[in-house]
Amino acid sequence: MTDNTQHQQAATPELPTQYVPADVEGKLYERWVERGYFEADEHSEKPPYTIVIPPPNVTGSLHLGHAFEHTLIDALTRRKRMQGYETLWQPGMDHAGIATQNVVERELAKEGKSRHDLGREAFIERVWKWKNESGGQISGQMRRLGDGVAWSRERFTMDEGLSRAVQTVFKKMYEDKLIYRAERIINWCPRCLTAISDIEVEYSDDDGELVSMTYGEGEESLVVATTRAETMLGDTAVAVHPDDERYRHLVGKRIKLPLTDRTIPVVADTHVDPEFGTGAVKVTPAHDPNDFEIGRRHDLPSLTVMDERAVITVPGPFEGLDRLEARSAIVAALRAEGRIVAEKRPYVHSVGHCSRCKTTVEPRLSMQWWVKVGPLAQAAGDAVRDGQVKIHPQEMEKRYFDWVDDLRDWCISRQLWWGHRIPIWYGPDGEIVCVGPDEEPPGGEGWHQETDVLDTWFSSGLWPFSTLGWPEQTDSLAKFYPNSVLVTGYDILFFWVARMMMFGLYAMDGTPPFHTIALHGMVRDQFGKKMSKSFGNAVNPLDWMDAYGSDALRFTLARGANPGVDVPIGEDWVQGSRNFANKIWNATRFALMNGATVEGELPAAEELSATDRWILSRLNTVVAEVDAYYEDYQFAKVSDALFHFAWDEVFDWYVELSKTTFMGGGRPAEVSARVLGEVLDTTLRLLHPVMPFVTETLWTTLTGQESLVIADWPADSGFRDKAAEAEIEQVQQVITEVRRFRSDQGLQPGQKVPARLTLEGTAFAPHEAAIRQLLRLTPEGDAFQATASLPVSGATVALDLSGTIDVEAERKRLTKDLQNAEKEKAAAEAKLGNEAFLAKAPDKVVDKIRGRLTKAEADIERITAQLAGLPTG
């Protein structure tokens, strides 16, 4: 078992009568931090265990998703620390380029100013001021939750060290020709006024319109269809399939583009599907990625018709209109010319939206900086294929491969001021120079730095090694890289995980950033619906922590955490977990009042009762189960196993069965007190990673030792006693069956009943006092009359119910219930025996009737037994 010789407990440890989380949690957490329990020593000889926090946005606050993920990570790191690992949970925050700039720009707008009024340097100073004063409130909320992070190592993606890492990687990739500048179609957000990457675009099926219109005149005309009529102002061709006989006579000719004074060519391109629509498509190279590629193949000009705010810039009647206003105006103008062939409204189609502000994204031709991801993505895929990195659960591997195997080049430039400014300098004669962290930028007239900043995911992709001091070869990097495991949601498998894989393998000489990727699902409400303010079901986890304690929230979240599966949660479940914390508290108070102790060695086997041997056997089985579940990231099974062991077996059975022993005093009471102390000691250790506050308070009171955070994790001693387990199982069956009979007869739980126990063999003899105590069975006495007899599990319990119930009234009630059950059985059997009914009835209906038959049969058996048990005469 465990070594309990470090510190001796107080003679009479006491606990308050009630557990009040608010009185405990804050003080405990500060004590843990002050004593440095969560810090990590890179010079330690202990084996390392490293997890990085998925860095929350500096603008963010703790939501249920954070609380869920942090609970899982904290459970893993607390357990590993107790197992003797040098454990580092690396904290920090992301500078969140677009989100943070938006926050500060909104503040400026209240003052009637824009960032351009301040200028770049003054605006950046303003953002830093906001960050230092208002940003990062989530750090305090993490403390409320109990996050055991190494606060002295906290990093920020814009701090000096991480900025150096970003500059170093950029220059290396630029020199390796993995970063380049090119004009291509990008996703543009007209509200955030910046490019965004493919994975920052969220698609939804929206109501729109499909308009079919005629291009050209007479025989030299064709019909095209579009959902974005405003882009026709930028058309530079119409494309048809080379084998489409309908349009062969038009290929190579020029036709009139409506509403303009231009003509455009008809080109043949295999990209066009002749079976879709009319088989002719308008080509707008500056505003559609597929059209851009057609344009490149046919050397078509690219005409940009909107500015950065999606306002039409083409001179004429539509200039100055927003894209949606222009869409309606252009359709109306085409209709007036008789060119509208068909209009379909609503037309449901997939539309891309900015993941941050939900504005409809506009494809736009733009000069941007790009990462050539081909070789990086190949390495990221191979690292999983060859087993260097394991994805858990394994079925998520397919999603990972589907993504990295088809990854397009990544647009990394953002038209923002807040972020890592791209370290490129342009000269007066077209020179381009990439500047490393220790290099002076070129000077002289005409030289200027790139104004764009890098995508936030560029810096967060370096997180597993930049936080450890890279590019310097630090002791921390040598000790804690690669990370042991990455715990994150499947929803950012592509956003963040793939980025870290690519950067880690590239920058760290082929060493992946982590050994295991453990993916979890999303937190949803109790009905399985996504939580959202717009749905009215969003929950502030701080409210639940205030009401029920942090342990209750943590335990509820962990108990729902099956790998890769979404987690439903409701307030009543958190209340249930609060009740569990109270149960642990009250049971430990009872144990302490009855002398439970961890002092000295466990008594020899011959001194242990069957009840003692049973609980110690079960304890070791649970230790082994919990270890296996943790290694498989089965947090729900860990929590469920501990809940049922602690509540059902320790508190509801062992404590209750031992009460007569404690009442009897002497050596047997001392033995059971030591066993109970051992069981509580180990159970509290097992529960600690998920419920740190209540377990710490109880364990330090029980043991007198310093802290559970640095205590040893329980080990399975190998002790098993199947005979004792079978014996107590029989005792449990006797007690359970008699309790059920008492309830069926309408007896109150505390009502005492005379009884005679006939205990066959020796198995039950030591337990008679406990059985009588738990069942409220008094000795039979001289006037005892056995009016009911229950044979159960090798024992016979004869009860004297005379005077306790109205036998005749009870017999009438049960007889009526029996008749109803028999009618229900007959009706169900009749339907199930009707072949015509079975042939026509849906499977659900048939299954329902089978269920009614099963219930009726069980009711008949139960009521018959109750009638047989009634007093006679």
Side-chain angles (χ1 to χ4, degrees), residues 351-549:
V351 178
H353 302 268
C354 173
S355 61
R356 289 179 176 83
C357 70
K358 311 309 177 187
T359 300
T360 299
V361 167
E362 189 64 43
R364 188 168 189 254
L365 185 63
S366 181
M367 183 68 76
Q368 302 285 343
W369 285 92
W370 303 80
V371 169
K372 183 181 179 182
V373 300
L376 302 174
Q378 176 71 42
D382 290 345
V384 175
R385 288 188 178 92
D386 64 20
Q388 287 188 78
V389 178
K390 297 186 183 302
I391 294 180
H392 187 88
Q394 191 173 1
E395 54 264 28
M396 287 286 183
E397 282 186 1
K398 183 179 184 303
R399 294 183 64 180
Y400 177 79
F401 292 135
D402 286 347
W403 179 256
V404 298
D405 292 348
D406 193 34
L407 204 55
R408 295 192 296 181
D409 284 1
W410 171 22
C411 176
I412 55 171
S413 45
R414 299 290 180 267
Q415 290 64 55
L416 305 170
W417 287 356
W418 173 246
H420 294 100
R421 195 167 176 181
I422 292 176
I424 290 288
W425 290 74
Y426 302 105
D429 299 318
E431 304 96 329
I432 298 179
V433 175
C434 184
V435 179
D438 296 318
E439 300 171 353
E440 288 293 326
E445 188 176 346
W447 283 92
H448 65 279
Q449 188 178 357
E450 169 65 67
T451 57
D452 289 353
V453 301
L454 289 166
D455 179 7
T456 300
W457 297 103
F458 192 98
S459 51
S460 60
L462 314 180
W463 191 250
F465 52 92
S466 63
T467 52
L468 297 172
W470 188 92
E472 307 305 324
Q473 297 305 305
T474 64
D475 291 340
S476 289
L477 189 67
K479 178 74 173 180
F480 296 114
Y481 186 90
N483 290 188
S484 306
V485 61
L486 173 74
V487 178
T488 192
Y490 64 71
D491 57 318
I492 57 172
L493 179 61
F494 316 128
F495 278 96
W496 190 44
V497 178
R499 304 285 190 250
M500 287 189 290
M501 287 286 283
M502 291 192 295
F503 279 136
L505 290 160
Y506 172 74
M508 299 300 292
D509 300 320
T511 302
F514 20 72
H515 298 301
T516 301
I517 302 168
L519 298 170
H520 59 73
M522 311 293 291
V523 178
R524 297 182 179 271
D525 70 13
Q526 65 264 44
F527 306 109
K529 191 174 182 179
K530 181 180 178 181
M531 285 192 171
S532 166
K533 289 182 180 178
S534 61
F535 294 155
N537 63 351
V539 173
N540 183 346
L542 296 173
D543 292 341
W544 280 354
M545 286 192 279
D546 288 342
Y548 308 112

Side-chain angles (χ1 to χ4, degrees), residues 102 194 451 472 478 615 762 829:
N102 283 346
T194 182
T451 57
E472 307 305 324
I615 198 63
T762 59
E829 286 177 334

